[in-house]
């Protein structure tokens, strides 16, 4: 998800420190001087103890040197805390933005729900909702908690969490059923089954992450801490054992000098900034709308060798769209476009709408409203007929659909489908598209095929360049799709992925990930469907789309 | 021919010999450590001691085996030293004092060979041969077995089996140490090293009357003393004694022997991990440190503004005129950068900075090329630390030879680099705080402190060379020294074997374009920097009170 420029303004950006931020963070930095908090950072804890000891020495035996060292040491400790406090402060500012979205709302809870059979409604506070509860949301209302849509379709404004202003469609069933608490339904009425416990919703977790409250140390951070701690111990020993040696040499040093030497030796710079760096890293991710469930995943993401992508929604726009009208010989292209548009006027599928759009953009055909065609009878698509169309009042019939079904209809209506249609259909299939044959039957004449609509899976703009960048980084990309191998190969070539897995079942995806991992590779997987969940869980980094199902989001360790 | 030219030629000849040995010896060692075939003699031995040579051990079992043979070694040697007056060829020597016997047993089993006694008037021949020499062989082979296990940690995947200690030990002893020692013992004897089981030899001396000289089986002990980077001489004067090291030829052979296995092991490593370049990178770092240290100490010995004007500004006090200064510095550099600790000159008499260089050599942790096995595993641990630091800069999880360096690996590497400095500094610090023990120094001021610091640096790092000058045969020094040697030897082994176990459990990471290239001059430079930085910062405060204070005065 990219963030539109206009939406980034309310987010807290990176960049230089500004003095106000420092001023605001100072009290917090002082609070962090509490030894119980400092002990989490062994290096700085040692410095703090050193500071306390030099302070005591400076008071007991005042000297300019002792006071200079004392002040300098305290500055070191406070600066380390300040760095952390500033990083946290940024996170808190972000969290405040998120909290606005999390205003407590009244939820309209249903006592029970089964398909088409809703129980009585009660008002409860949104925070009381438990997983398994059903709630009703109507246009204009805020969704009270995370869950899956079980009934209805609605457009939802998710800008509060994604920063994207365009509303998204959330519907029951399928891969776009998850809704997030704090977002707002803009239209229609949906019933949602709550899936998150109060306090553990997506927004809650996001707030926790940016505030650094439940930030876990990443493996590399842990390993670095181990190294820093061991160096600190070595230097501590070097300084402690120095005293008897120096005493023997007749050059016993004061405690202040010893502490100054120790602080100069131990790795204070990295030690001081380590946690601030960690917080800033998480912050960056959140700014890019990625929610990392664990630090481990963030680091693993840097080591990925193979990236498996679910085709729909990541490589392609997700809907097949009409890209071309291919008329048979003797038929004018605009006649075909006209017939195609007629047959699709009542077709509310994305494919149907794209035919109307293409007819308008390519042939300038004005979109007619169903009302203009008095007495027209629309024939909906069914799995049995495998075609849809319209019967106009004057007896003019138009059909579009799968090749074999439409040809059968032409023959039944007294026409003779030409062989040319067959070759057009094959060519489109070979190119990875879906062919829709269009035919018409004008009263008094034999039915005839007009041509073929090329429905194409549209590859996202710029995705090819993105894959080239990944390749340069040493990451292989593999497209996963349920399409047949022919279609998959064509899309893979267009998008520029390195490899593809066609007609993939959830088992195939798992097997592929396991095979890659067997060779020692780190595998990332993106997906949004419930059937992706096992693969997302198995992958070293599972990136679930925020638009995806709750199961997918639960299985992944990053949500985009 | 001047000393300088002779020295330069000796260095050139030595480098030539080591370069020629690198490939065949390294490959042969790799073969020994990886082949599936057993010699008939080995099979018979396995049967006798009841070992199944095909059964690989986990790192824990491997470690217990190392502990077992070492514990038995300490007890056995202690016993021999305590009852040596009842043994054959005792030459009328009395039994050794308990604390000294304990110190000596720990010293030889840990490959340190710190000697708080005078060999020629303390030990009978049998105690030398079945006591000390046996441990010289075993302790050297144990080091190679442990590094073989660490290398297997890199080469094996998703397993907890790292090899069989008894097989590794037997093979290194039978196929490497024994034949090589026999050949080089003969070479040394041909060069004039004594070899005798007879009683003291009486020499008619012109001025001071007759002398009764201890001869011993010196040649047979000398070869393994150096080949196994042990360093415990038959005589107190060690390789400065004409019976151990008669002339320039034997001197060269001895320096060659103490370096050859250490410098060939990177080849073994490269062969076992399937990339000779990895071996070259490691050996290059070792060679640079060795040459740098050699140049440094030779320079300070040749340009000493000390007392001995007759030698033309060179510091010849405490060195054998047979060898001259360059060959003494060459021996010193080799012996302190390996865990040998044999000496052909008195390090106490070096110029402050020259002697300081010897101390820094040991403080580096015996890694250039280090003791047999222990040098390479020390260097590999530092390579892991280097990979980790460099890897974080690249932004990927650091990996070395296809294995990730995760918190577990880092923990063991950090413990490794922590252990030896801790031992050295704690013991040296305590010694300086005890008034009775500081009185044992023969020098006052910074030089006296250098003696104590050197002693514990040497024992903690299992080097065994002495700065001399320190009267170390007291109950406290014997006991503390034995502890320093035992901890300094076996704690790092625990971390190394645990590290090997952790690495072997991983599944390998394929190399990609984002992987840090560890077979490159750049990496060698980073590794060198890490070595110097870790050591420099740890010991700098202490060094500044000893050699630096004296040398810059």
């Amino acid at each position: 998800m990219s963030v539109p420029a206009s939406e980034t303004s309310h987010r807290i950006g990176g960049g230089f420190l500004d003095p106000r931020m420092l001023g605001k963070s100072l009290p917090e930095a002082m609070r962090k001087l509490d030894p119980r908090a400092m002990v989490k950072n062994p290096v700085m804890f040692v410095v703090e103890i050193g500071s306390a000891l030099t302070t005591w020495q400076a008071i007991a035996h005042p000297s300019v040197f002792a006071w200079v060292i004392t002040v300098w040491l305290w500055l070191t400790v406070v600066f380390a805390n300040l760095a952390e406090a500033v990083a946290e402060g940024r996170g808190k500012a972000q969290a405040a933005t998120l909290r606005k979205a999390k205003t407590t709302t009244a939820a309209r809870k249903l006592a029970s729900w089964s398909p088409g059979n809703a129980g009585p409604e009660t008002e409860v506070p949104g925070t009381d909702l438990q997983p398994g509860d059903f709630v009703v949301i109507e246009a204009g209302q805020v969704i009270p908690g995370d869950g899956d849509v079980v009934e209805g379709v609605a457009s939802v404004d998710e800008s509060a969490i994604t920063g994207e202003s365009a509303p998204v469609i959330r519907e029951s069933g399928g891969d776009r059923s998850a809704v997030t608490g704090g977002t707002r339904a803009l239209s229609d009425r949906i019933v949602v089954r709550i899936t998150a416990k109060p306090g553990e919703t997506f927004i809650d977790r996001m707030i926790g992450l940016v505030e650094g409250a439940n930030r876990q140390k990443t493996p590399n951070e842990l390993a670095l801490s181990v190294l820093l701690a061991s160096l600190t111990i070595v230097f501590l020993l070097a300084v402690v054992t120095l005293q008897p040696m120096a005493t023997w040499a007749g050059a016993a040093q004061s405690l202040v000098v010893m502490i100054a030497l120790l602080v100069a030796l131990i790795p204070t710079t990295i030690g001081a900034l380590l946690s601030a760096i960690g917080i800033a890293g998480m912050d960056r991710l959140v700014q890019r709308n990625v929610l990392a469930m664990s630090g481990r995943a963030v680091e693993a993401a840097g080591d990925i060798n193979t990236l498996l992508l679910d085709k729909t929604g990541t490589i392609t726009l997700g809907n097949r769209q009409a890209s071309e009208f291919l008329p048979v010989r003797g038929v004018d292209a605009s006649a075909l476009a006209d017939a195609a548009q007629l047959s699709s006027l009542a077709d509310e599928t994305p494919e149907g709408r794209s035919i109307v759009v293409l007819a308008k953009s390519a042939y300038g055909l004005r979109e007619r409203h169903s009302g203009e065609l008095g007495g027209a009878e629309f024939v909906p698509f069914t799995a049995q007929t495998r075609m849809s169309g319209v019967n106009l009042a004057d007896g003019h019939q138009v059909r579009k659909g799968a090749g074999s079904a439409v040809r059968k209809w032409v023959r039944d209506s007294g026409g003779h489908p030409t062989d040319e249609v067959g070759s057009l259909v094959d060519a489109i299939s070979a190119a990875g598209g879906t062919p829709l044959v269009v035919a018409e039957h004008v009263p008094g004449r034999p039915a005839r095929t007009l041509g073929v609509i090329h429905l194409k899976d549209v590859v996202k703009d710029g995705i090819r360049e993105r894959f080239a960048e990944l390749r340069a980084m040493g990451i292989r990309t593999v497209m996963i799709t349920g399409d047949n191998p022919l279609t998959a190969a064509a899309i893979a070539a267009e998008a520029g992925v390195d490899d593809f897995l066609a007609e993939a079942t959830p088992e195939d995806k798992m097997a592929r990930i396991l095979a890659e991992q067997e060779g020692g590779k780190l595998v990332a997987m993106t997906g949004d469907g419930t059937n992706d969940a096992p693969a997302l869980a198995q992958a070293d980094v599972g990136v679930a789309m925020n638009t995806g199902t709750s199961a997918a989001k639960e299985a992944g360790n990053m949500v985009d | 021919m001047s000393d300088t030219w002779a020295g330069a030629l000796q260095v050139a000849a030595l480098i030539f010999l080591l370069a020629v040995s690198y490939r065949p010896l390294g490959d042969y060692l790799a073969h020994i450590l990886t082949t599936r075939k057993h010699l008939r003699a080995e099979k018979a031995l396995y049967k006798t001691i009841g070992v199944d040579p095909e059964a690989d051990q986990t790192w824990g079992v491997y470690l217990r085996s190392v502990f077992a043979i070492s514990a038995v070694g300490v007890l056995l040697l202690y016993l021999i030293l305590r009852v040596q007056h009842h043994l054959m060829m005792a030459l009328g020597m009395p039994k050794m004092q308990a604390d000294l016997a304990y110190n000596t047993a720990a010293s030889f089993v840990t490959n340190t060979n710190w000697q708080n006694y005078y060999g020629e008037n303390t030990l009978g021949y049998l105690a030398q041969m079945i006591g000390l020499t046996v441990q010289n062989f075993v302790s050297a082979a144990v080091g190679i077995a442990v590094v073989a296990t660490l290398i297997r940690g890199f080469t094996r995947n998703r397993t907890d089996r790292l090899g069989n200690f008894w097989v590794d030990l037997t093979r290194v002893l039978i196929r490497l140490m024994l034949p090589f020692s026999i050949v080089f013992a003969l070479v040394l004897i041909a060069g004039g090293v004594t070899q005798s089981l007879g009683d003291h030899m009486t020499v008619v001396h012109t001025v001071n009357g007759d002398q009764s000289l201890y001869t011993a089986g010196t040649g047979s002990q000398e070869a393994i003393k150096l080949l196994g980077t042990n360093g415990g001489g038959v005589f107190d004067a060690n390789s400065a004694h004409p019976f151990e090291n008669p002339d320039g030829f034997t001197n060269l052979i001895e320096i060659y022997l103490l370096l050859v296995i250490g410098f060939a092991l990177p080849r073994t490593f490269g062969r076992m991990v399937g990339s000779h370049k990895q071996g070259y990178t490691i050996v290059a770092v070792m060679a640079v440190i060795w040459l740098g240290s050699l140049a440094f100490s030779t320079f300070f010995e040749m340009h000493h503004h000390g007392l001995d004007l007759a030698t033309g500004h060179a510091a010849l006090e405490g060195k054998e005129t047979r060898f001259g200064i360059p060959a003494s510095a060459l021996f010193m550099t080799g012996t302190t950068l390996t865990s040998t600790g044999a000496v052909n000159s008195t390090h106490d008499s070096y110029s402050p900075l020259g002697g300081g260089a010897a101390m820094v050599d040991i403080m580096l942790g015996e890694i250039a090329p280090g003791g047999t096995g222990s040098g390479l595993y020390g260097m590999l641990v530092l390579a892991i630390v280097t990979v980790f630091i460099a890897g974080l800069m690249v932004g990927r999880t650091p990996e070395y030879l296809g294995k990730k360096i995760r918190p577990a690996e880092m923990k063991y590497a950090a413990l490794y680099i922590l252990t030896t400095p801790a031992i050295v500094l704690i013991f040296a610090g305590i010694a300086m705080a005890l008034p009775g023990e500081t009185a044992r120094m023969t020098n006052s001021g910074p030089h006296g402190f250098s003696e104590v610091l050197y002693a514990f640096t040497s024992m903690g790092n299992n080097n065994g060379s002495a700065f001399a000058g320190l009267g170390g045969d007291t109950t406290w020094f014997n006991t503390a020294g034995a502890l320093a040697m035992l901890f300094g030897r076996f704690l790092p082994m625990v971390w190394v074997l645990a590290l090997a176990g952790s690495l072997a459990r991983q599944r390998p990471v394929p190399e990609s374009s984002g992987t840090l290239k560890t077979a490159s001059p750049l990496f060698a430079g980073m590794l060198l920097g890490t070595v110097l930085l870790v050591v420099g910062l740890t010991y700098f405060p202490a060094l500044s009170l000893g050699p630096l204070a004296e040398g810059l005065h």
Side-chain angles (χ1 to χ4, degrees), chain A residues 328-354:
Chain A
V328 293
R329 253 193 308 278
V331 176
D332 191 36
S334 59
L336 170 62
D338 188 56
Q341 188 217 40
L342 267 180
S343 68
S344 307
L345 286 177
D347 185 351
E348 278 302 316
T349 62
E351 289 89 347
R353 282 198 295 270
S354 78

Side-chain angles (χ1 to χ4, degrees), chain A residues 306-365:
Chain A
T306 307
L307 173 61
L308 270 59
L309 301 126
D310 190 38
K311 183 197 77 176
T312 318
T314 48
I315 298 178
T316 62
L317 288 173
N319 304 320
R320 282 173 301 188
Q321 305 208 327
S323 67
E324 245 183 316
F325 296 119
L326 299 169
V328 293
R329 253 193 308 278
V331 176
D332 191 36
S334 59
L336 170 62
D338 188 56
Q341 188 217 40
L342 267 180
S343 68
S344 307
L345 286 177
D347 185 351
E348 278 302 316
T349 62
E351 289 89 347
R353 282 198 295 270
S354 78
I355 292 171
V356 177
V357 170
L358 181 70
K360 189 175 173 187
S361 62
Y363 298 96
L365 295 177

Side-chain angles (χ1 to χ4, degrees), chain A residues 218-227 229-231 233-235 237-239 241-242 244-246 248-249 251 261 265 299-300 302-305 471-475 517-522 540, chain B residues 158 385 388-389 392 395-398 404-407 410-411 414 417-418 421-422 425-426 428-429 432-433 438 441 443-446 448-449 453 507-510 512-514 537-538 541-542 545:
Chain A
T218 69
N220 279 340
E221 201 179 342
L222 276 178
L224 186 58
S225 306
V226 167
L227 183 63
S230 87
L231 287 177
I233 296 171
V234 171
F235 293 133
L237 281 172
V239 172
T241 56
L242 186 63
M245 303 176 188
W248 187 81
L261 175 65
L265 285 172
E299 252 171 32
D303 302 335
I304 288 303
N305 305 99
R471 198 168 304 121
M473 285 186 238
I475 299 172
Q517 286 175 336
E518 194 58 38
K521 291 190 175 128
L522 276 183
D540 299 288
Chain B
R158 310 182 79 165
V385 174
F388 179 74
I389 295 169
L392 287 188
R396 289 174 69 100
T397 299
K404 290 200 164 211
I405 308 306
R406 305 165 306 181
M410 210 53 223
K411 183 173 75 194
I417 57 173
L418 171 72
L425 291 169
I426 290 175
M432 297 312 292
T438 48
M441 302 169 200
N443 282 286
S444 59
F449 168 62
L453 182 60
R507 62 177 190 220
V509 186
S512 74
S513 54
L537 285 178
T538 310
L545 287 173

Side-chain angles (χ1 to χ4, degrees), chain A residues 28 73 83 221 259 298 312 341 407 532:
Chain A
E28 180 61 29
L73 290 184
E221 201 179 342
I259 288 168
V298 180
T312 318
Q341 188 217 40
R407 274 188 280 182
D532 291 327

